Amino acid sequence: MNAVEIEQAITDLAEQPFDAANFPYAFLEAFGNKVTTIKRLRAGASNKSDLGGVLQTSNIHILTCDAGQVTQTLATLKASPATAKAKAKFILATDGADFEAEDLTSGETVVCSFEDFPDHFGFFLPLAGISTVRQISENAFDIRATSRLNRLYVELLKDNPEWGTADRRHDMNKLMARLIFCFFAEDTDIFVGKGRFTETVAQMSAKDSSNTHEVITTLFRAMNTKREDRAAAKIPRWAENFPYVNGALFSGGDEVPRFSKIARSYLLHVGGLDWTKINPDIFGSMIQAVAEDEERGELGMHYTSVPNILKVLNPLFLDDLREKLEEAGDNARMLLNLRKRIAKIRVFDPACGSGNFLVIAYKEMRAIESEINQRRGEPDRASEIPLTNFRGIELRDFPAEIARLALVIAEYQCDVLYRGQKLALAEFLPLSNENWITCGNALRLDWLSICPPSGTHVKMQADDLFDVPVGQTEIEFENEGGETYVCGNPPYLGSRWRNKEQQDDLASLFSGRAPSFKDLDYVAAWYLKAADYLHAVPDCCCAFVATKSICQGEQVAMLWPLIFGQGLEISFAHRPFHWSNLATANAGVTVVIVGIASIRSSKKTLFEGDEKRVVDNIGPYLIPVGNIIVQKAPRPLNSLPRMDYGNKPTDGGNLILDRTEKDFLIAAHPEVARFIRAYVGSTEFINGVPRFCLWVEDEEVEDARLVPELCERFENVRTLRAESKGQQANANADRPHRFVFAPHRSGSALIIPRVSSERRLYLPVGIVDDTTVISDRAAVIYRPETWLLAIVASRMHLVWIATVCVRMRMDFSYSNTLGWHTFPMPTLTEKNKADLTRCAEDILLMREHHFPATIADLYNPENMPNDLRGAHDRNDEVLERIYIGRRFRNDTERLEKLFDLYMSMVSKGTKKLIVRKATGGAKA
Ligand SMILES: C[S@@+](CC[C@H](N)C(=O)[O-])C[C@H]1O[C@@H](n2cnc3c(N)ncnc32)[C@H](O)[C@@H]1O
């Protein structure tokens, strides 16, 4: 269960009549305990209570009691030997009227009336095994509001299914946005009288809910009518006190769907929350899930945390503003200049969702501006930062609306915080008509028209804030442009996950500019759009969160030349880190943050975890080296032997046998045994799954054909290859007994699976003899010297592969030409080779000790055997000393060395080439 579901469950529980005997079980169930767990507790098998209550080991001791006995009961629970023995984390006592609980670890307590205990759901979240309790507790209000709005939304759609159709979706979204505004306004004195909106609906609508929609319609109409026009508009007296909000939020149709009794009561419940606690940066991302069928299951639990957003915004520009504030001290002129500068800053998020990056940027800038005003002795001064400087593009309708609302709410909250409620209220209403969040496809829109670099006037005022046609060019800015910062967290989407429209989006931007781009992640398109935009806009920088794949493997060569080619460079970067959120289905992705800007002489900042380094340059692999891109090399650039892919059957499975097929065939025709070999690719090698193949040399084919089963298999292969569209298959149709690509040789072979999990600490490599045919799912070096295994199995090689080879999802995809032929190696002495040979033998020996464990077992990072780990460690030690005379401190240092060597290897190669050309092809 996620936090929203738990909140819903305990709210339901608090609303039911109190049942003393059942409450402890219902409480535990609400926190996600399984039915079987509850059954065992009820049966007494796992209930350790010595007081007649319910005590779940390592969790909670609950006791219900007679009226008025709650405090004593809690004390009894605390003193109970069973509580200590079972290591209970919480104790809880209630009589159905009062409720008391204690967290025995922190000593924190909750004392409240029974009906209010759901307000403290965050306190009990450890019971549900939710580890991010602090994050959730801090956003407890947003979670509750989302949960309640979700119920209302679902209930309304139940009674008004047409409001869920594509035609009415927008109206439904608009209704939710208006309601959220009203709930916020009634709790923050924007509407005179606390709870005014909810109260009015409660009083004026019949209990059977028959006219609830009419009452709400009337209130919306009032908010859309200026005071002087109200009589003519026949606004009833009971709606008179509601202010004119504006012609945007409440204009453009005031139809409201019909409310059932349940929907009415949900509405009153939502209104009953304390909306002053709304956190517009979090709330927007959560609430947007309500309107999305696919996302509703997680209810916004994937929201981006504020610290993660600041990882983008701080280095992009906020740190600089804060530094300038520091430098200004109390110097009035410097402070004034900084204030002017801030007022002109434009922040633009071209995949803004519900505006969280914009809201955080706005709030942080207001904090700096307020500090300036304080230092200048002008604490009440109105903000000069216009909301319209915070631009966004969002594809989906509801988040785009919520983004505007979130910014409006953020502005009000900042005004209250920095200038006081009186001034905030005086200037809040009516809201302006401007529309500065565009609903549309960012990859098809002209960013320059949505966020132009200069201009001061309003070009177009929308009649209706919520009814601007998709893609319509937005308003001009209020003030002359200053700096522009493009930021956000655009959709990542690897090539397999894109729909046709998204493929076309990518093609519309990349075709004609990049020789290949289809394997790029969707997010790369935002970088290219941003690069074009930066090229046209002076004083502009950009930073997005992106999948790490755009800075690894083949994608690097597809994207980064286009960016560097526009005179841009990487201005700062966060090396890959885990981007987790609270969504239960989300395993988290590994992301990078990359800032780009016009080439400046200044230093760049590279973040790795909590570490921050100032460096001269950040290359496209996010290593502090030059802007070098590793290219495929058909032959080794180093002094290592050439590597191939294994043998490729192209046989429709006819040349391959599993164990049963093999045994069956040999039993029927013992002479076939000589044509059968072990067949090993990635899976077979890693998981120890035996497979076999038919391996018939040309001179043996006549003998093989004497066996009817083999003959039939060869015929199948012939047909399949003849009908194939592949040239290689066609060319080999008449040799169906052979693989289409067959580099197999006698002697041993070094095998490197092409795909393997990135969780392993080392690449799962090994040596096989020539009774084994290696498939094309693995790379291979035939007749290797043993020390080569020490190199392929090293941490050095793994970090190189992880950086320069493509990765699919969470896996490595080993490439001989990109990963091995390019692998930078110092020249090895005979002594080095002997040392490495010993290391490789040691690794193989340690594996032997664990026979019959598979490679998957041995290299499971959670329980890799210590002796094997030790052998690898010694191998790393020996190899790394060959590189730099000591162990590397971390992977970044390993990569720095590798890229340095790569650069000199490539430049040597280029020199050789030049000499060769100059000497007409003679060897240099
Ligand atoms: C990963 S979310 C980030 C939103 C927000 N910053 C957050 O952290 O929740 C990406 C957003 O981009 C929007 N989006 C996807 N494709 C888009 C496109 N082609 N143009 C504009 N927005 C798009 C999605 O609807 C989604 O709201």
Side-chain angles (χ1 to χ4, degrees):
M1 280 172 106
N2 68 36
V4 178
E5 288 161 339
I6 291 169
E7 197 280 331
Q8 270 178 12
I10 61 169
T11 302
D12 286 345
L13 178 61
E15 282 167 5
Q16 286 160 21
F18 180 66
D19 173 350
N22 197 44
F23 174 79
Y25 304 108
F27 184 86
L28 287 171
E29 205 174 338
F31 278 92
N33 278 278
K34 294 201 183 94
V35 179
T36 44
T37 313
I38 303 286
K39 248 193 201 159
R40 291 212 346 262
L41 277 172
R42 276 188 198 276
S46 53
N47 184 358
K48 305 289 181 215
S49 180
D50 53 355
L51 299 172
V54 174
L55 170 54
Q56 195 180 31
T57 305
S58 303
N59 229 10
I60 189 167
H61 198 172
I62 309 175
L63 189 58
T64 54
C65 56
D66 291 339
Q69 300 293 310
V70 174
T71 305
Q72 293 97 301
T73 306
L74 196 77
T76 314
L77 281 167
K78 196 163 181 181
S80 135
T83 300
K85 194 164 170 225
K87 298 197 175 92
K89 291 194 200 101
F90 291 88
I91 47 174
L92 185 171
T94 182
D95 58 2
D98 292 318
F99 181 102
E100 291 192 17
E102 183 171 339
D103 177 339
L104 295 172
T105 318
S106 68
E108 252 182 86
T109 53
V110 165
V111 179
C112 63
S113 65
F114 181 80
E115 65 192 24
D116 289 340
F117 88 79
D119 290 345
H120 303 278
F121 79 99
F123 179 83
F124 292 110
L125 280 177
L127 290 179
I130 291 179
S131 53
T132 33
V133 175
R134 223 192 87 230
Q135 205 179 339
I136 292 183
S137 298
E138 279 167 7
N139 304 314
F141 172 82
D142 306 289
I143 290 174
R144 306 201 74 194
T146 302
S147 138
R148 304 223 175 157
L149 282 167
N150 182 54
R151 286 166 162 213
L152 174 62
Y153 190 92
V154 172
E155 195 59 33
L156 283 173
L157 285 190
K158 226 192 260 173
D159 298 320
N160 307 273
E162 72 284 4
W163 282 68
T165 60
D167 281 354
R168 302 298 313 259
R169 259 293 158 94
H170 179 71
D171 296 333
M172 187 69 185
N173 294 344
K174 189 163 161 177
L175 171 79
M176 295 308 278
R178 287 174 175 179
L179 288 177
I180 293 166
F181 177 82
C182 291
F183 295 138
F184 175 71
E186 69 176 356
D187 283 354
T188 47
D189 290 337
I190 293 169
F191 293 166
V192 180
K194 187 127 179 116
R196 182 105 209 162
F197 174 77
T198 309
E199 231 168 58
T200 308
V201 176
Q203 280 167 7
M204 299 309 300
S205 68
K207 286 220 162 57
D208 68 2
S209 78
S210 53
N211 67 339
T212 311
H213 62 296
E214 288 163 9
V215 171
I216 298 175
T217 302
T218 306
L219 290 175
F220 286 174
R221 244 180 356 104
M223 292 182 230
N224 187 32
T225 311
K226 290 187 177 150
R227 295 233 172 250
E228 57 272 28
D229 300 331
R230 291 203 172 173
K234 297 206 170 52
I235 300 295
R237 193 179 297 250
W238 54 264
E240 258 295 298
N241 270 339
F242 283 84
Y244 170 61
V245 175
N246 81 340
L249 186 54
F250 289 98
S251 70
D254 45 29
E255 201 189 337
V256 171
R258 293 189 78 88
F259 278 62
S260 64
K261 263 167 85 174
I262 299 178
R264 177 178 178 273
S265 101
Y266 282 157
L267 178 91
L268 302 182
H269 262 92
V270 196
L273 294 174
D274 179 4
W275 283 78
T276 51
K277 294 185 185 151
I278 188 173
N279 192 358
D281 32 301
I282 296 303
F283 176 75
S285 306
M286 295 195 73
I287 185 65
Q288 71 178 50
V290 167
E292 300 292 334
D293 296 337
E294 327 78 76
E295 282 184 33
R296 197 169 302 129
E298 290 293 355
L299 277 178
M301 280 293 136
H302 58 264
Y303 67 82
T304 308
S305 69
V306 175
N308 271 347
I309 295 173
L310 287 173
K311 278 190 176 137
V312 177
L313 298 179
N314 280 343
L316 184 62
F317 72 106
L318 290 174
D319 281 344
D320 182 58
L321 294 182
R322 293 189 196 109
E323 251 168 49
K324 295 292 177 302
L325 179 66
E326 195 62 32
E327 272 167 40
D330 288 328
N331 182 316
R333 174 130 301 276
M334 283 168 82
L335 289 168
L336 181 66
N337 285 341
L338 182 59
R339 187 167 74 199
K340 283 186 180 158
R341 176 184 160 197
I342 291 174
K344 289 181 175 184
I345 285 177
R346 291 156 185 198
V347 184
F348 175 36
D349 180 349
C352 71
S354 41
N356 49 2
F357 281 70
L358 299 176
V359 167
I360 297 290
Y362 178 76
K363 281 165 72 169
E364 294 293 323
M365 285 163 68
R366 283 290 304 263
I368 297 169
E369 188 195 42
S370 156
E371 180 59 30
I372 294 174
N373 289 345
Q374 289 286 346
R375 290 191 197 171
R376 283 180 51 89
E378 303 163 315
D380 293 343
R381 195 184 162 86
S383 172
E384 288 175 14
I385 305 173
L387 270 194
T388 48
N389 274 11
F390 298 77
R391 303 258 156 151
I393 305 178
E394 168 55 44
L395 190 65
R396 294 176 297 162
D397 181 73
F398 191 47
E401 293 194 0
I402 297 293
R404 285 187 282 262
L405 196 57
L407 279 162
V408 167
I409 290 175
E411 183 183 41
Y412 179 77
Q413 286 181 336
C414 286
D415 277 341
V416 171
L417 183 65
Y418 300 123
R419 305 178 58 221
Q421 178 138 17
K422 208 165 145 216
L423 286 174
L425 278 173
E427 289 163 24
F428 187 61
L429 292 178
L431 302 177
S432 75
N433 279 355
E434 293 160 342
N435 172 34
W436 64 101
I437 305 291
T438 303
C439 185
N441 181 345
L443 301 183
R444 302 288 181 158
L445 289 167
D446 173 14
W447 292 9
L448 281 170
S449 83
I450 286 166
C451 190
S454 59
T456 50
H457 303 294
V458 173
K459 204 163 38 183
M460 185 277 300
Q461 290 228 345
D463 296 332
D464 175 357
L465 176 60
F466 291 84
D467 263 341
V468 176
V470 168
Q472 179 174 314
T473 304
E474 308 295 311
I475 58 155
E476 279 274 13
F477 288 92
E478 273 175 34
N479 54 5
E480 196 62 61
E483 301 135 61
T484 306
Y485 296 102
V486 185
C487 60
N489 181 14
Y492 308 145
L493 290 181
S495 55
R496 295 182 191 187
W497 312 104
R498 287 196 288 271
N499 59 30
K500 164 87 175 67
E501 208 176 327
Q502 289 163 336
Q503 305 282 24
D504 292 347
D505 288 342
L506 213 63
S508 74
L509 284 167
F510 282 88
S511 59
R513 297 176 72 176
S516 71
F517 57 84
K518 292 206 169 68
D519 289 331
L520 275 170
D521 288 354
Y522 196 41
V523 62
W526 269 262
Y527 274 97
L528 187 58
K529 279 286 269 191
D532 293 346
Y533 180 79
L534 259 65
H535 194 66
V537 176
D539 240 345
C540 176
C541 304
C542 159
F544 293 128
V545 184
T547 31
K548 63 180 175 178
S549 352
I550 67 158
C551 293
Q552 282 169 338
E554 289 184 340
Q555 293 199 36
V556 171
M558 295 174 192
L559 174 66
W560 290 98
L562 298 179
I563 309 247
F564 297 145
Q566 306 233 39
L568 302 169
E569 63 181 2
I570 296 177
S571 51
F572 76 90
H574 275 269
R575 294 213 7 97
F577 65 99
H578 195 66
W579 183 268
S580 60
N581 56 45
L582 305 179
T584 48
N586 182 289
V589 275
T590 304
V591 299
V592 292
I593 294 170
V594 187
I596 54 172
S598 307
I599 293 178
R600 296 165 193 192
S601 56
S602 63
K603 300 269 187 190
K604 322 291 181 307
T605 318
L606 184 63
F607 298 87
E608 177 140 34
D610 294 335
E611 253 181 52
K612 176 175 163 178
R613 279 172 74 190
V614 177
V615 296
D616 291 330
N617 191 62
I618 300 175
Y621 299 94
L622 308 188
I623 301 294
V625 290
N627 290 344
I628 187 130
I629 294 175
V630 178
Q631 307 283 352
K632 285 182 179 179
R635 278 173 300 281
L637 301 175
N638 43 36
S639 47
L640 296 168
R642 180 192 163 101
M643 184 183 283
D644 267 317
Y645 287 150
N647 302 270
K648 186 176 171 192
T650 315
D651 64 333
N654 289 288
L655 299 180
I656 312 300
L657 310 165
D658 61 24
R659 189 187 282 280
T660 323
E661 287 170 317
K662 180 201 85 163
D663 292 347
F664 202 71
L665 202 56
I666 293 180
H669 307 281
E671 70 276 19
V672 163
R674 69 178 170 120
F675 301 130
I676 296 181
R677 308 237 180 150
Y679 181 62
V680 172
S682 289
T683 320
E684 295 83 7
F685 178 71
I686 293 170
N687 298 320
V689 183
R691 280 217 295 169
F692 305 87
C693 68
L694 293 175
W695 194 260
V696 179
E697 302 292 348
D698 288 341
E699 58 277 14
E700 299 170 322
V701 69
E702 290 316 317
D703 291 350
R705 282 186 171 286
L706 296 175
V707 181
E709 282 90 337
L710 296 197
C711 217
E712 188 187 334
R713 282 173 179 264
F714 296 157
E715 279 318 300
N716 291 344
V717 175
R718 182 196 305 283
T719 314
L720 177 122
R721 287 186 187 166
E723 290 171 358
S724 160
K725 290 195 178 114
Q727 277 181 3
Q728 195 182 36
N730 297 158
N732 285 282
D734 290 335
R735 287 177 79 219
H737 58 286
R738 299 293 295 150
F739 280 33
V740 295
F741 177 62
H744 182 75
R745 289 211 253 156
S746 60
S748 62
L750 179 65
I751 172 170
I752 306 114
R754 282 170 69 184
V755 179
S756 69
S757 160
E758 71 165 1
R759 287 179 60 243
R760 298 196 182 98
L761 302 172
Y762 299 98
L763 290 173
V765 298
I767 292 183
V768 294
D769 64 29
D770 62 2
T771 58
T772 298
V773 173
I774 293 174
S775 92
D776 63 335
R777 300 308 303 144
V780 54
I781 297 176
Y782 287 104
R783 296 174 194 158
E785 292 188 71
T786 311
W787 54 266
L788 285 168
L789 182 126
I791 292 171
V792 190
S794 68
R795 178 91 201 153
M796 285 303 273
H797 194 53
L798 180 120
V799 296
W800 180 252
I801 295 300
T803 305
V804 306
C805 284
V806 181
R807 286 196 206 183
M808 294 147 62
R809 283 168 288 140
M810 299 290 279
D811 295 336
F812 292 119
S813 181
Y814 194 94
S815 157
N816 55 349
T817 50
L818 198 54
W820 176 253
H821 292 173
T822 61
F823 182 58
M825 272 294 299
T827 309
L828 296 178
T829 62
E830 287 311 311
K831 160 114 182 41
N832 293 151
K833 289 180 186 171
D835 290 346
L836 289 170
T837 302
R838 260 193 305 281
C839 290
E841 286 167 352
D842 204 20
I843 290 172
L844 294 173
L845 206 63
M846 291 309 148
R847 288 188 193 169
E848 287 281 307
H849 282 174
H850 297 277
F851 181 81
T854 62
I855 292 287
D857 299 333
L858 292 171
Y859 286 86
N860 178 345
E862 264 105 56
N863 45 22
M864 187 171 168
N866 280 340
D867 49 3
L868 181 60
R869 202 185 275 260
H872 273 282
D873 205 47
R874 286 191 293 280
N875 182 43
D876 286 338
E877 168 103 36
V878 168
L879 185 62
E880 293 182 13
R881 283 189 178 281
I882 295 174
Y883 277 91
I884 54 163
R886 62 163 169 84
R887 289 299 297 263
F888 286 95
R889 274 186 286 273
N890 52 35
D891 287 344
T892 311
E893 200 189 6
R894 286 187 180 92
L895 286 166
E896 275 177 69
K897 180 68 189 171
L898 288 170
F899 273 97
D900 270 350
L901 288 176
Y902 179 77
M903 294 227 258
S904 48
M905 197 162 71
V906 172
S907 66
K908 260 187 223 150
T910 319
K911 270 185 217 142
K912 264 190 202 163
L913 203 73
I914 294 168
V915 176
R916 226 179 272 166
K917 273 190 184 157
T919 54
K923 242 185 170 188

